Structure formats: C-alpha cells, structure tokens
Amino acid sequence: MSQPFRLNKEGLINRNKKISFTFNGKKLFGYEGDTIASALIANGIHLVGRSFKYHRPRGFFGAGVEEPNAKLQVEFNGHSEPNVNATEMELVEGLSATSQNCWPSVNFDVGAINNFLKMFFPAGFYYKTFMWPKSFWYKIYEPFIRKAAGLGVASIEKDKERYEHKFEYCDLLVTGSGPSGLASAYAAAKNGAKVILAEDKPRFGGTLLTDDVSIDNLSGKDWAEKIITELKSMPNVTVKNRSQVFGYYDHNMLVMFERVSDHLEKKSKFTPRQRLWYIRAKETILSTGSIERPIVFGNNDTPGIFLSAAAKEYMKVYGVLVGKKPLIFTNNDSAYETALEFKKNNVEPIILDTREEHSSELIDEAKSKGIDIRFSHGVIVANGYKKVKSAKIGKLNKDKNSFEKIETIECDCICVSGFWTPSVHLASQSGNKLKYEEKIDAFIPDKKKQHETSVGAANGSFTLEESLKHGFENGSNLSAKITETKTEISIPNVNEKKYGAHDKFWCMPLPKNENPKRFVDFQNDVSVSDIEIALREGYRSIEHVKRYTTLGMATDQGRTSNLNGLQLVSNIENKIVPEVGHTTFRPPFTPITIGTIVGREVGMEYMPTRKTPMHEWHEKNNAVFVDAGAWKRPRYYKQGNETLFEASKREAKNVRENVGICDVTTLGKIDIKGPDAAEFLNRVYTNAWMKLPVGKARYGLMLREDGIVMDDGTTTRISENHYHMTTTTAQAANILSHLEYYLQIVWPELNVNVVSTTEQWAGAAIAGPKSRDMLSKLYPDLDVSNDALPFMGYREAEFFGVPSRIFRISFSGELAYEINVKSDHGMFMWEKMMEVGKEFGNQPYGTEALSTLRIEMGHVAGPELDGRTIPSDVSLNGLVSKKKDFIGKNSLGREAFNVESRQKIVGLIPIDRKSSIPEGSHIVQDQNAKLPNPKLGHVSSSCWSVENNNPFSLAIMKDGKNMIGKKFFAVSPLKNKSIEVEVISSHYVDPEGKRVRS
Amino acid sequence: MLYIKCPYCGLRAQKEFSYGGDATVKRPNINEEVSSEDWDKFVYMRKSPRGKHVELWQHIAGCRQWIKVQRDTATHEIFQTAKVTEEIR
C-alpha cells in the first residue's frame, strides 16, 4: 500500500482520505484531491499508453490541459469514457482506468512493430499507400487503420446522466484564476460589476499555487485564497472552478464547460454531470496564462520526460515526485524553480542549461544550494524504452550546432523547459489577429475585434508584478465603463524572483550517424523528419503542413507542439516565424462531452410533443400514432390483430359507406381581422375573395412569388371583417410568417391583423354519406339540410351547450363537416360524437385512411405540393384568377411553366389490379432500357382504393393527361419492384364531386 | 450566436430570430404592370456582398415583428437595427 513517490508533507491533497482505484486491473490508492495522473505517478507508474501511429510507450508529460499523451479509458459511476485526460480527471472512489491504443497490453503491445518499421510510416504514408485499389478503402484499409490508430472506445450504452445548459449574462467574464485573473475579477467586483470568474482546475490560483512568491506578505497560495474568499462573499460575483471557457463566439458570447459532479462520491438525483454555460459578457478578461513548451531532442517522448513546470506542480500541489534522479533541461530560469523544489525535498537534480555560464537571482540561489548546473549543455537523446533510464548529454559548441563533449548520465526523469507560450486560443477565436512577439518567441494578441482583453501571461507578461498590475488596471477600467463607479485599489507589494533572459533555443542537434526520433507533436506522433518530408514534398502553407503531417491536430490542438513546429518550418524555409504564420485556433479549447453539447434535449425532450385535446381518448382506443411535425396524430385505430393496411382499409371503407370522425385539430388556424382582410386574402390567394359572403368558406391556393404552390386550405368568413384561415399542419408556422411579412413590410397600408389560433380550437371532421344524419342528432335544433347548410357553408351553434363552429368542408371527398370547439371542450365533443354516432356506424379514422380517401378522390396534398409544382401541374388552374393580381402571379407566365410536356398530375393503376405501387417509384417507358433510363415522372402518393378495391396512385408525369390510357412501368429500385401501370385520370372516385354537394 | 437588438424588445439572442434575406428588395406594386425582367430581378436576383448588408430578420420567438438589421456578412458585426418602416443608412 505504500506510494514510493509520495512526499511526506507537501501538497494540497487531503491525506486523511484515501481513495482506491484500479489501473489496468491493478488495485492502487491515492488521496482525495489527486488526479489520476498524480496518483499513478505517486505509485511509480509512468507507462500509461501507446502513441497514435508508432505505438511507442508514452507516459505523462504535463499536469493539466497541456497533456498530449495520457488519455485513458475511464470507468466510474457506471460510465465508460474514452480519451479522458489523466492529468485533469480527479480521482474518485472505485474508478477504473485502462490504457488505450494498445493490444494485448500497454506493456506488450503488438502494434509497437510500427515503431521498428517507422521508416515505412513517414508523413503522408496513409495518403500515399492506400490509394488503390479504390474498393479496398472501405472494406480493408479504413477499418484496419481505424483499429490500429484508434484512441479509446466510445460506449454504446445510453448515457443515463443529466446534462444541462445555462444561459448567463455578465459585465465581465474572467477566464482563469491566476494572479492576473484574480486581480481583474477583484477590481471589477469592487466597482460593482457583475463578474463571472471561471477556473478550469479544481483549485483557484493558477501559478500562485506553485510559484515561490509573496504578495502583501502572504504566500501566493494564501493571497489567492483570501481574494477568492472575498469574491465568493460578494453578491455580484459568480466564482466557478472546474469550469473551462472553451469557445469565443460572435458578439461576445463565450461557452463554458463545467464539470459539476464527476468528482463527487454522492450526488442527488437532479445534480447534472456537466453543464454548458452560454455566457454573454459585455467585456471579457482573458487570463488564460501560458503553457510551457518543450525543447526537441532524441526520444523526447519516453515516459519519465515531463515539462518542468508540471514536475513542480506534482510536487507542490500533489506532493508527488516525478523522479528521484531528475535531469532538468532548460533554456531559461523558470526551470530552476523546479530544481530548487526538488532540492527542498531532498532530491538532487542536475541542471542542463543551454545558455552559457552567467548569473541571475535564481541561478545564484541554485548555485548556493549546491545544485549541479552544467551550462551550454543539453539532452541529446533519452535512453530507456518504457521509462527513462539515462540520457546522452552533450556540451554545445558556441554556435550550438555541434558538441564539444558527449557523455551518458543516469537519471529517472527529465524535466524540460523551452520557455513559455501564451494561451492565445480564446483571443484568436474572438477574431483577434495575433502578432509575433520576438522577445518571447511566441504569438500574443494584437488588435481586438470583440470586447476582449488579454492580461498577464496570456498577453506575454511573465512577471507577477506586471500580471497583477495589468489585472487590476484592466479589471478596474473595463468595469468602470459599465458600472460608472471606480473604487480605488492599491496594487499590492510583490516579492518574486527576477528571471534572466531566456535562450532562443528549441531543438537539440544530433551527433553524426545518430537518428533517433525527435517528436514535435506527441499526440499525433509527428517528428522533425515528418515535417521535413512535408516541406521537401512541396507543402508550404503551414495549414497544409498541418493537414499533411497532422501536426497540431486532435484533442490537444498542438498546445505543446505548435510553436516548435513553426520554428522548424521557418528554419527549413529560411523564413522568420511570423512569415510562416500560425494555424487557426478553433473551439473547443479542450475536448468536451457530446452529452454536454446535447444538454437536456434528448429523448422526449428532444423536441416538444404536441398533443390534441383528444389524445387520451386515442390512446385508450388503441390508436397508433404518427408524427406530424411536433404533433402526434392517430395513424389508425388498431382492432385485434389488424395490420396498418387492414385497419386503414376498414376505416376508409366505413367513411365511404357510413360515417367516420377524424381528429383535425392539428390543422393550422389563423385568425384574420380588419377592414382590409378581404383585400389581403385576395392578394394572398390565387382565387377571388372579394365577394365571399359572411357565413361561407372557400378553398384557396397560395403561391410563393416564384409561382410555386406554397399551401392550400379553406378560409371562412366568420363576420364582416373576420376570417378564419386554415393551413396544412406542416406549413402552419411558415404561413403565419409569410402573412406577417406581407402585412408588415410589403403592404403596411392594409389594416389587417393576423394571429395563430391553432391551439385555441379542437377540430373533428365528420365524413361519410351518413354524416348529415349524425350532424342532425348532434344539433337537434339546427336545420342541417342541404339548402340551409350547403357545401362550403358555415354556421355557429351550440354543441350540447358548448359554443361551436360548423364548417361544411371536405377533405375526404365525401359529404362532410368539420366541427370546431374551444380546445377545453375537445374531449367532450369527441366523446359525444362517438356516443351519438353509434347508430350510424360511426368509427374514428386516422391519417392513413384520410390519405386513402383524399388520394382516390385526386385531392392533392404535401406529396404533390412538394415545392416544385405550379397550380396547373396539379389541376388547380381553375383556382387561378385571370382578373386580379396576387402573390406569384407574374411568375406563372414563365416559359418553363407553360410547356405542354411539363410534368403534371395523373392517376395510375396497376395492370394486374393487385400490386401496390411504392411511393417514390420512377415512371419509365421500358423497364429494361439501358441506364440512364429516361424518367417520365414519379409516383407521389399511393393507396388501396377502397371504392374500387385495387391499388391506385397519384403521379406527377410528363405530358400529364395526354398520357391517359397509355401503359408504363413504375420502377422502385429501393423496393426492387417494377410494376406495369396504366395512366388514368387523377380523379378516380366521384370525378364530378357530387358527393360533397349532396 | 449573434446578439440582435430588436427595436421593440431590446437585445436578444439569435435563436429567437429567423432570417429573412435582403431588406433592400422592393416588391413591385400589386396590380401594376411589371416587365418580366424587373419581375425576375425581384424574385431571383440577390447581391451577396462581403461586408455591410441590410437584411430582414423576424423576431419569431418574441414580438413577431420583422426588423431590419445592418450586418457585416464577413465579421457578423451588427451596426444598426431598425423597424421595417425606418431607414438604415
């Protein structure tokens, strides 16, 4: 149970609480406050994964988001999550982590043969090798490559966790709680601004937790704690840890990913796992800090090689030693702090400094502590396969391109520091064009496009004093503009060690005849030689080099590799880095879960479900529902073991013979009021509306301005200036917008108001030869005779004491009525109809029977009005007025709309009178013709005609009615069917329309 | 996500709005003769500028008013919004 690399005292972990977990099946323990990484390192485990391409052994490199290697498959709380960053995931009891991309195990990985074949796997290998034969790609190459190069395994289980979205607004969003972030948030909070402070890590303070500094005589850590405590107590401040602002979008909208409960042992049922915050900030402070960059040398990916700051963080935050014989390899002073920390913990480091012997505050301190410092030295190649065992080091000559002396020294870890790269991702995402800062060999933000200000290390200032000053000033000034209050804050006294200048040195040369892999991008296995190949092969743009070599791609987005990659390209190309430029920074900054993006919009909550007031009745009576937009509509009412086909035939037949009722609540309904309502309708519809009397309905057709049919429906004149319009279920929302567009923009002079009343009314259609008999029982006091209530007539009457509207309109082609009552009375109406209708053989019918009825009557609907047809295509030219102007009229004269051979509506019946014609079938002359077989049209709607007891279809076909009597084939390659058909009229039943008028 | 100032309701998130195309297109008057050329221009021809563009949006999940928005199509910067009855210069 001992942890050989755990220090006795140091660290911010809770040593009173042990947490047990497993790694690759081995039972281990760590402490509360550990990450998976710190707990594994404490246990002396460094080999955690295999690299992407060569399957080389890989260990930890960083201590946070910068980690390129340590991605694990982690199981906890019933999840199995791939690609979890071991340096970020907090340890929880019972967690089980396994290595990825290795088989059969991380210790013995068959894929590692790639490493020995690496001369065969240069940049662009896949592009070059798997070009042909083409058919091999899907079946052999791609599955194989995917298997070989995969990361973790995504779970196929349903994610049972809860994820939330939250929308927030603030004056100032501060991204990062390092010294500059804390100072900005504090100053803004004191000015009364609404502040959100976001910290990615569990602990606030950033570098204050690890740097040996003091502020106002407090240690960095204590000062951070003091500020955070005060911020938390202020009502205008929201302080969030475990929250990564990962995307900067338009109009100062930032998106933050909060890890709410993965670190908790117990949580309540409604605690989300993760939360996505959409934050609209008036101003944003980007205090995202900086990431240490490596120096490139041979086998620099061997487990046991760390960034120097990460090694320090493991000691100071987690009380863990990354090694007991450390080599520190640096080109700057910051790594001396790591060395001093080792020394403090009784570990003797050796410092290799690429700079010539000189002096600075830190160097002097290290010297005085007796640390072995070797100037003009660097690591040439790390030795050891699964863990660093020794290093070949060299003394550099003056030009730093060859060696004066080479020796091998023993070590168990190498801590490397190649200076610091500001994290400019968010600034770049906001549209800020970055500029190259020669002083620090890195890009920093330049001219801003949005309301963002980078402070501290993110802006290239690496001293605490400067960072705090920047933070306080910017936090105060930016917020004062918003709150118009300015509270004076004195900038605290700072005690920090002064750094000397760094060495612009980023890649070790190789001695002659030695050629170890030198990695630039660990995550994607991109080495120096890969980039050299890409450039040799003619790739010049850094964006192309990136795509060809995969440099800077995938989950770590080149956080540790970008700048070294740019240095290499600029060296080879003899350009300076700013000329090479940088690749685009894209959100998300760190990987986030799909669950968080989806939020609560899953399953039933994916979209709202609209139910009619009669829904419960349908459910109780075995309705099988179909989605119509967000609506649920009964498709058919199942009796016994009936199939859809049998049930819809029974229901449709009953309408033709007796009477049926259908829930038509879902139809779009729009109330139109105003003195100019008639004129408005006259412009909106193709037919004439000025003379429609009160108490009458009319069928109308709407076009788009390009002449295509947009929608159809009936509109009824309720009173002098009041109309009730119906639209198809699908088009209801569009039509309302369409009407509003014309009223608000095109014809504002018309005094008309429109409002949706779809949900105000419950509707039921009563259809069939016995519908009048049934209606007279429903309205015993009303004269429902053909004279008193003719076709297209309208009445208002009480339905068993409830106000109702009666429309004599028909979709089924039968004698039919539609009754509307207020939604609250919908169920009452329906049940009453079922009760009263019994003696007439009334049965409910669903959308399938409804379709059958309208198809055999030749009534067009969605499948015919498909956004390609004009009125004459669907035999509705009778509704197009020649006398008046209307929306789309001018387009109807277009040449293409008036050619004789244009595809128009016809009816089709199979020659054998038996075979159903699949919808979507193509109509061809010769089913055996050579491809491409000329297509004469397509089948739009199909049904089993209950009237004639054989299949019948509507089709949109070349030459339209001229084809009647001819025979063709309806071919459906999808269903593998070809059916010989005869063209007939689209009006298969009651072509004169006698029934609706009877 | 854009942040659009509805002249009736104030600043609202883009998801409350739906896009309605070029606001400078004028429909030929109803009941007036129009040449095929002018009609085709009205129905089909649209400029697709890089830069400032005056366009229509409808505050569909709000007051349902159509509004004018002057937006930079490349940067998404919104310079001005107005009621449809008002001019944007």
Side-chain angles (χ1 to χ4, degrees):
Chain A
M1 287 284 276
S2 73
Q3 295 182 321
F5 289 85
R6 185 78 72 177
L7 294 165
N8 288 331
K9 289 204 290 280
E10 283 274 349
L12 309 175
I13 48 169
N14 177 11
R15 289 175 196 259
N16 296 322
K17 188 159 179 205
K18 280 188 181 177
I19 293 181
S20 58
F21 70 107
T22 67
F23 175 66
N24 288 337
K26 194 174 171 191
K27 208 165 156 56
L28 300 164
F29 82 92
Y31 294 111
E32 187 179 64
D34 261 329
T35 59
I36 300 176
S38 66
L40 286 175
I41 298 169
N43 284 285
I45 295 171
H46 286 262
L47 172 62
V48 286
R50 291 279 175 159
S51 74
F52 206 65
K53 202 157 85 177
Y54 305 118
H55 290 249
R56 286 167 70 104
R58 288 285 164 84
F60 307 99
F61 188 63
V65 291
E66 72 280 11
E67 175 59 47
N69 296 329
K71 315 285 168 188
L72 301 175
Q73 184 89 26
V74 177
E75 279 169 49
F76 64 103
N77 297 339
H79 291 278
S80 182
E81 194 146 300
N83 313 331
V84 170
N85 206 353
T87 56
E88 291 183 88
M89 172 95 198
E90 291 168 73
L91 209 57
V92 283
E93 185 62 38
L95 173 149
S96 145
T98 42
S99 297
Q100 301 179 157
N101 202 29
C102 55
W103 183 87
S105 78
V106 70
N107 262 308
F108 178 73
D109 178 19
V110 168
I113 188 120
N114 287 2
N115 188 33
F116 301 103
L117 303 175
K118 64 195 170 206
M119 61 281 243
F120 301 119
F121 284 89
F125 169 72
Y126 294 111
Y127 300 132
K128 289 168 187 159
T129 313
F130 299 114
M131 293 286 285
W132 53 267
K134 203 177 163 194
S135 61
F136 270 39
W137 177 253
Y138 291 106
K139 285 179 190 147
I140 296 167
Y141 296 148
E142 204 211 356
F144 173 77
I145 295 169
R146 281 206 182 282
K147 205 172 167 217
L151 290 166
V153 182
S155 171
I156 54 166
E157 304 283 309
K158 183 175 160 34
D159 191 341
K160 293 185 193 81
E161 291 281 352
R162 185 184 171 102
Y163 300 86
E164 285 179 355
H165 287 183
K166 185 176 166 75
F167 294 81
E168 194 52 272
Y169 299 82
C170 65
D171 295 327
L172 187 74
L173 171 65
V174 182
T175 65
S177 73
S180 60
L182 285 177
S184 309
Y186 187 77
K190 286 283 178 193
N191 282 347
K194 189 177 172 191
V195 177
I196 298 175
L197 173 63
E199 170 56 48
D200 174 42
K201 296 202 168 185
R203 300 170 188 85
F204 294 99
T207 51
L208 290 175
L209 299 179
T210 54
D211 283 357
D212 197 6
V213 294
S214 69
I215 305 171
D216 278 349
N217 298 323
L218 291 173
S219 73
K221 178 181 148 285
D222 290 345
W223 185 80
E225 208 171 293
K226 187 189 122 193
I227 298 287
I228 283 290
T229 309
E230 190 171 346
L231 285 173
K232 277 184 177 165
S233 72
M234 297 169 82
N236 53 329
V237 182
T238 305
V239 171
K240 281 278 159 194
N241 55 344
R242 300 186 177 88
S243 297
Q244 169 83 55
V245 177
F246 67 78
Y248 202 133
Y249 297 89
D250 291 313
H251 298 185
N252 254 47
M253 161 115 123
L254 290 100
V255 185
M256 180 168 93
F257 171 60
E258 182 189 1
R259 307 185 300 277
V260 183
S261 63
D262 278 354
H263 63 288
L264 300 176
E265 235 166 82
K266 278 187 196 137
K267 57 178 184 177
S268 84
K269 192 182 159 194
F270 295 110
T271 309
R273 180 179 172 217
Q274 289 155 350
R275 189 181 282 135
L276 198 69
W277 293 56
Y278 294 90
I279 302 171
R280 190 78 72 172
K282 287 187 184 139
E283 291 286 347
T284 308
I285 287 278
L286 302 176
S287 45
T288 44
S290 57
I291 289 173
E292 201 169 29
R293 51 179 188 260
I295 301 177
V296 178
F297 58 91
N299 294 337
N300 55 341
D301 62 330
T302 312
I305 299 176
F306 284 83
L307 287 169
S308 123
K312 187 171 69 174
E313 188 169 336
Y314 283 118
M315 286 186 271
K316 293 205 79 161
V317 175
Y318 303 103
V320 168
L321 286 172
V322 301
K324 290 176 180 173
K325 258 188 204 165
L327 260 190
I328 314 273
F329 178 23
T330 185
N331 68 2
N332 69 90
D333 275 7
S334 66
Y336 282 75
E337 295 200 24
T338 307
L340 287 166
E341 191 63 30
F342 271 119
K343 181 82 187 173
K344 208 167 91 188
N345 290 304
N346 303 318
V347 173
E348 296 297 333
I350 299 172
I351 299 176
L352 308 179
D353 194 328
T354 62
R355 298 171 293 184
E356 282 170 32
E357 172 133 28
H358 67 294
S359 140
S360 77
E361 196 177 340
L362 271 159
I363 293 173
D364 295 347
E365 187 177 341
K367 271 186 186 163
S368 73
K369 294 256 162 75
I371 294 176
D372 181 355
I373 306 173
R374 305 187 190 179
F375 290 102
S376 296
H377 267 73
V379 177
I380 300 167
V381 56
N383 300 322
Y385 182 56
K386 289 174 191 168
K387 178 78 196 294
V388 177
K389 288 190 180 118
S390 63
K392 191 185 275 183
I393 64 168
K395 182 160 197 235
L396 291 154
N397 69 350
K398 215 164 164 61
D399 294 332
K400 292 183 184 159
N401 54 10
S402 69
F403 302 102
E404 289 176 2
K405 200 177 107 192
I406 291 175
E407 64 184 306
T408 297
I409 56 173
E410 264 185 55
C411 62
D412 66 351
C413 70
I414 300 173
C415 306
V416 58
S417 176
F419 210 52
W420 296 86
T421 307
S423 291
V424 292
H425 302 66
L426 289 176
S428 174
Q429 286 174 25
S430 78
N432 193 315
K433 293 270 175 263
L434 308 174
K435 67 178 175 201
Y436 190 70
E437 181 65 80
E438 198 72 42
K439 221 166 60 189
I440 59 168
D441 316 322
F443 288 93
I444 59 168
D446 190 13
K447 245 179 101 180
K448 52 186 90 167
K449 280 268 164 65
Q450 300 202 40
H451 296 275
E452 45 91 17
T453 307
S454 291
V455 296
N459 197 35
S461 348
F462 295 137
T463 70
L464 178 61
E465 191 179 358
E466 226 180 331
S467 291
L468 283 176
K469 193 164 161 278
H470 263 165
F472 279 115
E473 280 172 6
N474 281 297
S476 177
N477 294 342
L478 290 168
S479 58
K481 267 190 241 158
I482 299 166
T483 62
E484 293 172 354
T485 315
K486 193 152 184 171
T487 311
E488 283 307 318
I489 301 171
S490 57
I491 295 173
N493 291 320
V494 169
N495 194 347
E496 65 181 319
K497 282 161 194 155
K498 293 213 168 39
Y499 285 13
H502 80 287
D503 182 10
K504 292 173 186 295
F505 182 89
W506 63 275
C507 182
M508 278 297 275
L510 286 176
K512 270 186 195 134
N513 305 323
E514 282 198 40
N515 199 18
K517 277 266 170 207
R518 292 178 296 168
F519 286 94
V520 175
D521 182 330
F522 300 108
Q523 188 163 65
N524 298 292
D525 262 3
V526 181
S527 65
V528 171
S529 56
D530 290 322
I531 296 171
E532 286 168 349
I533 287 174
L535 292 160
R536 268 207 305 279
E537 292 184 0
Y539 291 91
R540 287 295 173 270
S541 155
I542 188 67
E543 295 281 3
H544 290 161
V545 173
K546 169 180 171 175
R547 277 153 190 81
Y548 193 58
T549 60
T550 68
L551 167 71
M553 287 193 174
T555 64
D556 81 335
Q557 286 285 297
R559 276 191 272 281
T560 54
S561 64
N562 270 340
L563 271 159
N564 285 341
L566 288 178
Q567 289 284 5
L568 180 59
V569 173
S570 64
N571 275 16
I572 300 169
E573 291 276 284
N574 269 326
K575 281 182 183 168
I576 50 170
V577 173
E579 277 175 17
V580 175
H582 59 83
T583 52
T584 312
F585 294 97
R586 291 199 175 83
F589 176 65
T590 49
I592 59 170
T593 58
I594 299 282
T596 324
I597 297 171
V598 172
R600 301 211 48 212
E601 289 164 30
V602 286
M604 286 298 285
E605 276 141 4
Y606 178 63
M607 64 190 283
T609 305
R610 297 177 86 179
K611 294 177 182 172
T612 76
M614 292 84 102
H615 188 84
E616 264 179 54
W617 189 95
H618 303 323
E619 270 181 336
K620 275 188 212 143
N621 289 274
N622 298 323
V624 176
F625 292 93
V626 62
D627 291 337
W631 289 101
K632 295 276 175 210
R633 295 194 72 178
R635 192 172 185 193
Y636 63 101
Y637 300 82
K638 193 178 177 127
Q639 291 187 356
N641 289 325
E642 270 180 334
T643 61
L644 162 69
F645 180 63
E646 290 161 351
S648 63
K649 239 162 71 168
R650 167 182 54 74
E651 290 170 9
K653 209 159 187 287
N654 190 56
V655 171
R656 292 272 183 250
E657 287 168 3
N658 298 306
V659 59
I661 62 172
C662 180
D663 186 345
V664 293
T665 304
T666 63
L667 279 184
K669 304 173 202 77
I670 298 170
D671 228 32
I672 301 175
K673 279 184 177 171
D676 296 323
E679 171 63 25
F680 181 55
L681 290 171
N682 210 42
R683 296 180 185 188
V684 164
Y685 281 125
T686 59
N687 44 338
W689 285 82
M690 297 309 283
K691 288 177 185 156
L692 180 74
V694 172
K696 276 284 203 178
R698 184 166 286 177
Y699 177 71
L701 194 64
M702 274 185 216
L703 306 186
R704 311 190 307 217
E705 292 285 19
D706 63 0
I708 302 288
V709 178
M710 185 175 186
D711 200 41
D712 65 342
T714 56
T715 291
T716 306
R717 192 166 195 177
I718 305 287
S719 67
E720 182 63 23
N721 294 327
H722 181 193
Y723 292 80
H724 171 84
M725 174 186 278
T726 63
T727 73
T728 55
T729 302
Q731 288 287 348
N734 291 346
I735 299 300
L736 184 65
S737 269
H738 176 75
L739 300 180
E740 286 165 336
Y741 173 88
Y742 282 92
L743 285 173
Q744 292 174 28
I745 298 170
V746 186
W747 304 312
E749 69 278 8
L750 294 183
N751 189 355
V752 180
N753 269 306
V754 293
V755 68
S756 166
T757 53
T758 302
E759 291 181 345
Q760 271 60 49
W761 298 97
I766 310 173
K770 294 181 185 166
S771 58
R772 182 179 291 124
D773 299 339
M774 183 171 152
L775 193 74
S776 68
K777 283 257 171 161
L778 292 171
Y779 295 94
D781 299 334
L782 189 72
D783 182 357
V784 296
S785 68
N786 204 20
D787 290 337
L789 181 53
F791 181 52
M792 288 293 174
Y794 168 74
R795 289 287 176 280
E796 287 167 15
E798 290 218 332
F799 181 94
F800 299 98
V802 169
S804 74
R805 291 172 165 184
I806 310 165
F807 306 84
R808 187 170 160 192
I809 54 179
S810 175
F811 189 59
S812 57
E814 287 298 325
L815 170 65
Y817 304 87
E818 265 181 45
I819 314 293
N820 279 6
V821 294
K822 292 280 164 64
S823 291
D824 290 349
H825 301 135
M827 185 63 108
F828 169 76
M829 166 181 74
W830 188 268
E831 284 178 334
K832 212 71 192 166
M833 283 179 173
M834 287 307 300
E835 180 191 317
V836 171
K838 251 180 225 159
E839 60 174 294
F840 307 104
N842 172 47
Q843 286 180 19
Y845 64 102
T847 55
E848 200 67 22
L850 187 69
S851 292
T852 296
L853 295 165
R854 72 99 188 161
I855 293 167
E856 63 176 2
M857 280 285 175
H859 290 180
V860 293
E864 288 75 38
L865 309 180
D866 63 353
R868 292 181 290 185
T869 45
I870 57 167
S872 58
D873 295 344
V874 286
S875 291
L876 291 174
N877 31 333
L879 287 170
V880 179
S881 168
K882 295 212 167 56
K883 291 178 194 149
K884 57 131 193 176
D885 197 3
F886 54 84
I887 293 171
K889 183 175 190 178
N890 283 308
S891 291
L892 292 177
R894 290 182 64 210
E895 204 180 321
F897 286 169
N898 294 287
V899 291
E900 186 59 24
S901 61
R902 203 177 152 78
Q903 295 192 355
K904 290 178 181 176
I905 192 166
V906 292
L908 299 178
I909 46 168
I911 300 293
D912 66 2
R913 299 293 192 271
K914 277 189 216 134
S915 310
S916 309
I917 310 164
E919 286 175 350
S921 294
H922 290 195
I923 302 164
V924 297
Q925 182 78 59
D926 174 4
Q927 61 171 339
N928 298 315
K930 251 182 136 183
L931 296 175
N933 195 347
K935 180 189 158 191
L936 304 173
H938 71 275
V939 176
S940 55
S941 303
S942 285
C943 73
W944 184 276
S945 167
V946 290
E947 185 94 2
N948 297 300
N949 204 25
N950 57 254
F952 172 73
S953 292
L954 294 175
I956 310 284
M957 186 178 178
K958 193 169 176 253
D959 286 323
K961 284 177 191 151
N962 299 337
M963 295 292 204
I964 289 178
K966 293 184 183 165
K967 288 175 184 170
F968 297 95
F969 290 92
V971 182
S972 170
L974 208 62
K975 299 243 162 112
N976 204 17
K977 269 189 181 174
S978 175
I979 295 158
E980 194 174 12
V981 294
E982 186 186 337
V983 179
I984 60 170
S985 159
S986 59
H987 300 287
Y988 196 34
V989 172
D990 187 24
E992 289 90 35
K994 281 182 190 157
R995 294 182 191 177
V996 290
R997 293 181 174 81
S998 63
Chain B
M1 201 187 336
L2 307 185
Y3 208 26
I4 301 171
K5 188 175 179 181
C6 170
Y8 302 91
C9 308
L11 278 165
R12 296 298 159 96
Q14 182 185 347
K15 64 195 293 183
E16 292 185 17
F17 295 84
S18 74
Y19 182 68
D22 190 340
T24 61
V25 173
K26 201 179 171 310
R27 189 192 189 279
N29 286 337
I30 196 104
N31 294 320
E32 247 174 49
E33 272 295 308
V34 53
S35 71
S36 302
E37 208 180 13
D38 286 348
W39 183 257
D40 284 354
K41 257 190 208 160
F42 155 67
V43 176
Y44 296 106
M45 303 308 282
R46 296 289 182 275
K47 283 189 181 127
S48 181
R50 179 191 167 91
K52 280 189 182 179
H53 186 232
V54 181
E55 55 205 15
L56 292 168
W57 288 75
Q58 189 182 13
H59 195 187
I60 203 146
C63 62
R64 292 203 66 87
Q65 293 300 302
W66 286 87
I67 61 168
K68 282 183 188 168
V69 175
Q70 188 187 40
R71 182 178 67 101
D72 189 309
T73 57
T75 64
H76 295 314
E77 185 177 353
I78 291 175
F79 307 97
Q80 211 182 328
T81 59
K83 299 174 180 176
V84 286
T85 49
E86 296 167 348
E87 284 298 309
I88 282 191
R89 290 179 199 285

